[in-house]
Amino acid sequence: MLQNIKLVRDFFPFVLLKAQIKYNFFGLLYWALLFSILCNFFGANFGVPFLFYSPEYLGEVGLWSFALLGFSVGGFSMAFNVYSYIKLGPRFPFLVVVSTPFFRFCINNFFIPFAYITIYLVKMTAFQLTEELASKSNVLIYNISFLTGFLLFILFSILYFFPLRTNKDADDTFTESNPVSTITSKGIGQKWYNYFREKRTRPIYYIGKRFKLHKSRSVSHLEKNVVESVFSKTRINAFIFEILTIGAFISLSFFRNFSLFEVPAAMSILMLLTILSMVIGALNSWFHRWTYPLIFFVFLGMSAISSKTGLFRYTSYALGLNYAKEKIIEYSPENIRRNHKTSESAYPSKGNIIGMLENWKKKTGEEKPKLVILNTSGGGLRSALWTFTVLSNANEKLDAKLSQNLQMITGASGGMVGAAYFREIQLRKELKTIDGNTAIFKERLSKDLLNRLSFSASTSDLFMRYKKVVYYDKKYTQERGCEFEKELHQNLNDYLEHPLGYYKEYEKSSSIPLMIFSPTIVNDGRRLLISSQNLSFMIGNDKKTTYENIDFQSFFKNNEPNHMRFSSVLRANATFPMIMPMMALPTKPEIQLMDAGIRDNYGGKVSVDYLFALNEWIAENTSGVVILEIRDTKRIMSNEVYRELSLMDKLFLPFGNLLTNFTRTQDLDQEQLTKLCETSFNFPVDKVTFNLREDYNERISLSWHLTKREKQKIEAAFSSQENQTAFDKLKSLTAKQ
C-alpha cells in the first residue's frame, strides 16, 4: 500500500500538476476560465456556455462546427503544453535523457486537457439531447467530429516537432536506450545545477515509450551546459511553432469576407486564448520573470501615446457620417447649448412633429384615436426576436390595428432591432414589395449574429485593421462593428440596408411610426437622440435646461446625418460593453456612444419627454395614450430567491451591485415615470406590458446567438396567461371609440 502511495506521489502527471499550480499560476487561469464556462460559472446569463455546447458554422450545428471546435481545443492544448514546457521543463532535467522530451512532457501533461475534454463531451451530449433536441446518432457524430478535430491539430504538432527532430539533442548521444553513465561529468558544483541534483532525490515515474511506465534516471553526471542546450533548442523550436500558429490564426482574418471562414464563436474565443497564451509563452522564454511587468508597462506606454496621438487608437465609425477634419465639432457644454438654440430658432421641429401627428390621426380614421407608443427593452437577440414576435402576433390578431395606431417607437439594444425589422416589413407591405411570411421573417431574425463578430474580435481587431469599407463614397476602417452590420444585413436579406434619411418622408406621412434611438454618450452620460427627424423640441430651450438630451440632426447638421447607415444607428443603440466597440463621432474631444440601456433600458424617459413636449396636442386630439412595453424580463419574477451574502459578496458588492441591480434600479425609475404620467397629463395614460421571462429559473441567454430551444421558448411566451391578459387589455384599449 505504502509503495503504491509513493508511486502516485511520484507519478509525473501528478508532479506536473503540482508544479503547474505552484509555478504556472497565470497559465492555469486560461483553463480556469474555460472550466468555469463549461460549468456555467462564467457567462451563463450571456449564453457563453451554449456557444461551446452548440457551435454554429455556416448557419448549421453539425459535423463541421464540432470538428472546428475540437481543432481549436487541440490548438489551445498544444499552446498550453508549449508554454508549460518552457516554464517548467528545466525543473525536470531527467527529460534530456529520454527520446523526444517534449513529446514525453506533453503526454504526461495530459491531466488538465483530458479533464476538460471529458467534462465537455458529457455536458455537450446532455445539452444536445435536452436543449437542441438532437438525435442520439447525431450526438454521437458530434462527439466523433470533436475528437477528430482535436486529434488533427495534435497530429499537425507531431509532424512539426518529431520528424524534423526538433526536440532532440544535437548529437543524440543520450536517449532512453542509452546509459547515462556514458556522459561525462562536469560543472556539477554550479548553483543552477545543484538545485536539481539536491532538491530532487526521489525518482519520477513517467509515461514513456509505448505508453509504459518508466523510472527517471539520475542526471547527476550531466554537465549543466548539456542540459541547458537541450532545453534551449526546444525553446527556440517551440518559439517558432508559436509564431507559425499565431500567424496561421491571424491570417484567417484576410479571408473574413468569405462565409467559409466565419468560424463558430466558441472557436474564436479559443483562438484568442491560444494567441494570448502563445504570445505570453514566447515572451516568457526570453524575458522570464520580467514578462508580466513588461506587458504592463508597454500597455501603459501605448495608452499614454494614444491619448496624445492617433497611434494605437482603435476607432469604430458610424458609416455614412462625414469625419473630415474641417467638419469636426467642438464638444463642450457651451457649444451644446449654443448649437441647440441656433437650430431651434432656425427650424421649428415641434411643428414638424405635430404635422406628422396630424397625418397619423388621419390614417387611423378616428376622431380621437388612441396614441400607441412602443417601449422595448434591450437584451440582445432574444429581445429582438421577442419584440418582433409580440408586434407581429398582436398585429395579426388585431387585423393590423396595432400598426395603424402605433405612432412612436423607442427603446434599447436588441428590442429596437426587432422593432425596426417589424416597421420595415409593414412599410414593404404597404409598398407591395414584400416577399415571405411571418414565420420566414422570424427565422431570419433569429439567425446567429455572433460568429462573424467574435471572429473579427479575436483576429484582425486585436492586432491590425487593414481593410476598408466604402459607404457614400467615404472610406471607413472595417472592424467588428462593421462585421456585425454585415451579418445583420445578410440575415435579413438586406431589408434594413438604408441610410437613416430613407425613412424621413415615410415617417412624415405616417406610413410608418417615428423611431427615436437614444444611445448613451459615455463621456458625460448624456443621451443622443437619433432620428431621421429633428427632435430639438424634446430638449428644451430655457436657461434652466440641463441639456440631458442632444439632438443628433441639429448637432451634426454639417456631417450629413441622414447619410448615416441605419444599421450603424442600430449598432450604436446596441453597443454592449466589450462585445461591440464604442462608436466614435466627429467631435473634439471624440465622444463615444454605447448602448441606450446604460441610461434607459426601456425607453420610458424618452417617451415621457416626448409626451410632455406634445402634451397639448395629445390632450386635444386623442382619447389617451397607450404605452406598449415589451420587456425581455419581468420586473418581479416568480421563484426568485434572495440568499445570504458571503464574504466574497461583501467584498465585491459595491462594484457588483452596479451590474447586478442595474436593470432593477431602472425598473424602479420606470415605475416612478408611469406614476408621473398618470398624474401630470390631462389625458389617460395606460400601460400594457408583455414579458418574455416570467420565471427566474427559465433562462434565455443575453447574447446575439440563440439555441433552438430558446427560440421555441420565445415563440411560446406570447401564449402565456399573463401575456394573453395583456393582449386582451391592448385589444380593448385600441378598439374604436
Side-chain angles (χ1 to χ4, degrees):
M1 175 65 76
L2 182 62
Q3 187 176 358
N4 291 334
I5 294 174
K6 289 181 178 179
L7 180 63
V8 173
R9 180 194 62 188
D10 297 323
F11 188 43
F12 195 30
F14 289 107
V15 174
L16 269 178
L17 183 61
K18 179 182 175 182
Q20 293 279 11
I21 297 171
K22 189 174 181 180
Y23 301 110
N24 193 25
F25 178 77
F26 286 104
L28 291 181
L29 289 179
Y30 300 114
W31 282 112
L33 175 63
L34 292 177
F35 275 104
S36 65
I37 290 174
L38 285 192
C39 299
N40 294 325
F41 295 144
F42 178 85
N45 291 336
F46 303 105
V48 178
F50 299 166
L51 302 178
F52 288 77
Y53 301 150
S54 190
E56 191 172 306
Y57 177 62
L58 299 178
E60 298 289 336
V61 176
L63 183 151
W64 286 107
S65 64
F66 279 99
L68 287 169
L69 183 59
F71 188 83
S72 62
V73 172
F76 180 75
S77 298
M78 285 306 300
F80 172 69
N81 282 327
V82 170
Y83 180 80
S84 298
Y85 188 77
I86 293 172
K87 190 125 178 119
L88 303 177
R91 296 185 177 276
F92 305 99
F94 78 88
L95 289 170
V96 303
V97 298
V98 304
S99 62
T100 58
F102 179 67
F103 182 52
R104 303 301 172 207
F105 182 90
C106 292
I107 292 174
N108 287 271
N109 198 40
F110 75 95
F111 188 83
I112 296 175
F114 179 79
Y116 178 82
I117 291 171
T118 302
I119 294 172
Y120 171 77
L121 292 176
V122 170
K123 293 186 78 68
M124 182 272 289
T125 299
F127 181 86
Q128 285 294 328
L129 293 172
T130 58
E131 293 294 324
E132 291 287 8
L133 309 177
S135 64
K136 291 182 179 179
S137 59
N138 281 343
V139 174
L140 179 61
I141 292 173
Y142 299 162
N143 278 267
I144 295 172
S145 299
F146 178 86
L147 292 173
T148 302
F150 174 82
L151 294 173
L152 191 61
F153 192 97
I154 302 301
L155 178 62
F156 287 159
S157 304
I158 291 174
L159 291 175
Y160 171 80
F161 277 103
F162 306 112
L164 296 177
R165 305 169 70 85
T166 57
N167 69 329
K168 293 184 179 183
D169 184 57
D171 56 9
D172 261 325
T173 54
F174 49 89
T175 65
E176 284 176 296
S177 60
N178 288 336
V180 179
S181 58
T182 61
I183 309 297
T184 58
S185 170
K186 293 180 182 179
I188 297 178
Q190 298 182 55
K191 184 178 180 181
W192 179 89
Y193 189 79
N194 282 341
Y195 175 87
F196 303 105
R197 187 169 68 88
E198 297 172 359
K199 293 289 184 179
R200 186 78 200 190
T201 57
R202 300 191 310 269
I204 292 176
Y205 299 89
Y206 65 95
I207 301 173
K209 278 188 174 181
R210 300 182 182 87
F211 295 94
K212 293 182 178 180
L213 206 60
H214 292 257
K215 184 179 178 180
S216 67
R217 302 183 183 189
S218 172
V219 293
S220 60
H221 301 86
L222 297 181
E223 298 179 6
K224 174 191 174 184
N225 62 339
V226 173
V227 177
E228 283 190 327
S229 68
V230 175
F231 287 113
S232 176
K233 183 175 294 185
T234 306
R235 279 198 300 270
I236 294 172
N237 291 316
F239 177 76
I240 296 171
F241 178 75
E242 289 174 333
I243 297 300
L244 291 173
T245 305
I246 293 170
F249 281 163
I250 294 177
S251 65
L252 291 175
S253 64
F254 289 91
F255 307 97
R256 64 183 180 183
N257 290 330
F258 298 92
S259 58
L260 190 66
F261 293 91
E262 293 176 22
V263 300
M267 183 178 179
S268 295
I269 295 173
L270 284 161
M271 284 171 55
L272 178 60
L273 292 178
T274 300
I275 291 171
L276 291 176
S277 176
M278 285 190 165
V279 168
I280 292 175
L283 292 174
N284 192 74
S285 67
W286 299 103
F287 298 103
H288 306 291
R289 294 179 180 179
W290 287 99
T291 299
Y292 291 102
L294 178 67
I295 293 172
F296 177 73
F297 286 113
V298 167
F299 178 78
L300 286 182
M302 291 172 64
S303 179
I305 293 171
S306 68
S307 66
K308 304 295 183 183
T309 68
L311 198 62
F312 307 123
R313 188 183 295 171
Y314 287 170
T315 303
S316 180
Y317 299 98
L319 271 61
L321 274 188
N322 192 333
Y323 287 81
K325 289 184 179 180
E326 63 273 13
K327 302 290 185 180
I328 300 296
I329 307 163
E330 176 195 352
Y331 188 75
S332 64
E334 294 78 16
N335 197 45
I336 292 171
R337 189 177 296 106
R338 182 170 54 251
N339 207 304
H340 170 68
K341 288 182 177 181
T342 303
S343 175
E344 181 64 12
S345 60
Y347 187 85
S349 62
K350 186 173 181 179
N352 177 59
I353 299 297
I354 288 176
M356 292 172 55
L357 287 167
E358 293 286 357
N359 291 332
W360 165 81
K361 182 181 176 182
K362 291 177 184 177
K363 178 184 173 182
T364 65
E366 299 179 43
E367 185 180 349
K368 286 196 172 187
K370 283 285 186 181
L371 180 69
V372 179
I373 291 177
L374 172 62
N375 289 176
T376 179
S377 75
L381 196 55
R382 74 183 184 194
S383 278
L385 184 57
W386 173 236
T387 299
F388 184 84
T389 298
V390 171
L391 291 174
S392 56
N393 288 2
N395 198 48
E396 287 177 11
K397 291 179 178 294
L398 294 174
D399 297 324
K401 189 72 170 66
L402 175 59
S403 59
Q404 188 180 68
N405 282 54
L406 184 59
Q407 197 277 324
M408 194 271 281
I409 299 172
T410 190
S413 192
M416 290 294 278
V417 175
Y421 190 42
F422 172 80
R423 187 180 75 154
E424 177 68 28
I425 289 170
Q426 297 307 308
L427 176 60
R428 289 177 179 250
K429 284 181 178 179
E430 186 171 316
L431 299 175
K432 300 184 180 344
T433 60
I434 202 72
D435 181 26
N437 55 43
T438 302
I440 293 174
F441 298 141
K442 289 179 182 178
E443 183 183 348
R444 290 173 182 171
L445 183 60
S446 63
K447 288 182 178 180
D448 175 87
L449 283 168
L450 198 59
N451 281 356
R452 188 188 290 267
L453 182 66
S454 56
F455 178 64
S456 180
S458 61
T459 53
S460 57
D461 268 25
L462 187 64
F463 298 98
M464 56 183 175
R465 301 178 178 187
Y466 58 92
K467 286 192 175 183
K468 300 291 182 181
V469 59
V470 179
Y471 191 77
Y472 265 96
D473 297 324
K474 303 179 187 70
K475 289 184 177 180
Y476 305 90
T477 303
Q478 186 175 340
E479 33 71 42
R480 66 183 186 276
C482 296
E483 297 299 316
F484 174 84
E485 293 183 37
K486 184 176 180 179
E487 192 79 355
L488 180 67
H489 291 308
Q490 285 185 358
N491 289 356
L492 304 183
N493 282 13
D494 291 329
Y495 271 30
L496 299 178
E497 180 61 285
H498 305 296
L500 178 63
Y502 170 80
Y503 297 105
K504 186 174 182 177
E505 294 304 318
Y506 292 120
E507 289 179 346
K508 278 188 175 182
S509 64
S510 271
S511 299
I512 54 175
L514 170 70
M515 289 196 80
I516 301 177
F517 300 87
S518 55
T520 305
I521 299 174
V522 179
N523 307 54
D524 56 14
R526 287 183 167 91
R527 287 189 300 244
L528 182 67
L529 301 185
I530 302 179
S531 172
S532 64
Q533 312 296 326
N534 189 302
L535 301 176
S536 297
F537 73 98
M538 292 178 58
I539 297 174
N541 201 23
D542 56 56
K543 294 181 179 180
K544 296 181 180 179
T545 299
T546 58
Y547 295 94
E548 180 186 14
N549 301 325
I550 296 176
D551 174 51
F552 173 73
Q553 288 288 341
S554 59
F555 196 79
F556 295 96
K557 57 183 177 293
N558 297 322
N559 301 86
E560 303 168 42
N562 274 325
H563 286 180
M564 184 174 176
R565 197 184 195 186
F566 188 64
S567 56
S568 289
V569 178
L570 290 170
R571 173 163 66 90
N573 205 61
T575 300
F576 193 83
M578 305 303 292
I579 304 300
M580 284 191 286
M582 294 184 295
M583 181 179 289
L585 294 184
T587 62
K588 187 175 180 59
E590 194 175 73
I591 64 174
Q592 305 286 333
L593 298 183
M594 283 188 68
D595 202 305
I598 295 174
R599 286 291 314 277
D600 185 7
N601 195 48
Y602 306 98
K605 293 180 180 178
V606 173
S607 294
V608 170
D609 287 341
Y610 186 79
L611 293 176
F612 266 108
L614 301 167
N615 181 16
E616 294 179 4
W617 189 94
I618 295 172
E620 185 178 343
N621 293 275
T622 73
S623 58
V625 172
V626 178
I627 297 177
L628 175 58
E629 188 179 55
I630 302 178
R631 302 170 55 101
D632 71 327
T633 303
K634 190 178 179 181
R635 194 176 78 80
I636 301 177
M637 291 189 287
S638 58
N639 297 320
E640 184 175 5
V641 179
Y642 297 128
R643 60 180 178 82
E644 292 290 341
L645 298 178
S646 66
L647 177 61
M648 189 69 70
D649 292 328
K650 292 180 179 180
L651 286 172
F652 291 100
L653 187 61
F655 309 100
N657 178 266
L658 297 173
L659 182 61
T660 304
N661 292 322
F662 180 69
T663 55
R664 297 180 189 272
T665 55
Q666 293 206 19
D667 279 329
L668 296 172
D669 289 341
Q670 296 298 310
E671 263 194 17
Q672 293 296 320
L673 287 171
T674 302
K675 292 178 181 178
L676 179 65
C677 290
E678 291 173 350
T679 57
S680 300
F681 297 127
N682 297 323
F683 50 82
V685 178
D686 295 280
K687 181 182 283 189
V688 179
T689 302
F690 288 85
N691 295 297
L692 173 57
R693 290 179 60 220
E694 299 175 357
D695 191 326
Y696 183 78
N697 298 318
E698 198 65 43
R699 297 286 180 177
I700 302 176
S701 52
L702 175 60
S703 173
W704 292 109
H705 177 91
L706 293 172
T707 66
K708 186 181 296 184
R709 185 67 178 272
E710 288 177 326
K711 295 173 188 177
Q712 291 177 350
K713 289 178 180 177
I714 293 171
E715 182 62 41
F718 184 79
S719 301
S720 73
Q721 185 176 348
E722 286 195 28
N723 286 330
Q724 284 303 297
T725 302
F727 173 75
D728 292 338
K729 183 179 179 181
L730 178 64
K731 183 178 180 179
S732 64
L733 288 170
T734 56
K736 284 193 176 183
Q737 305 296 311

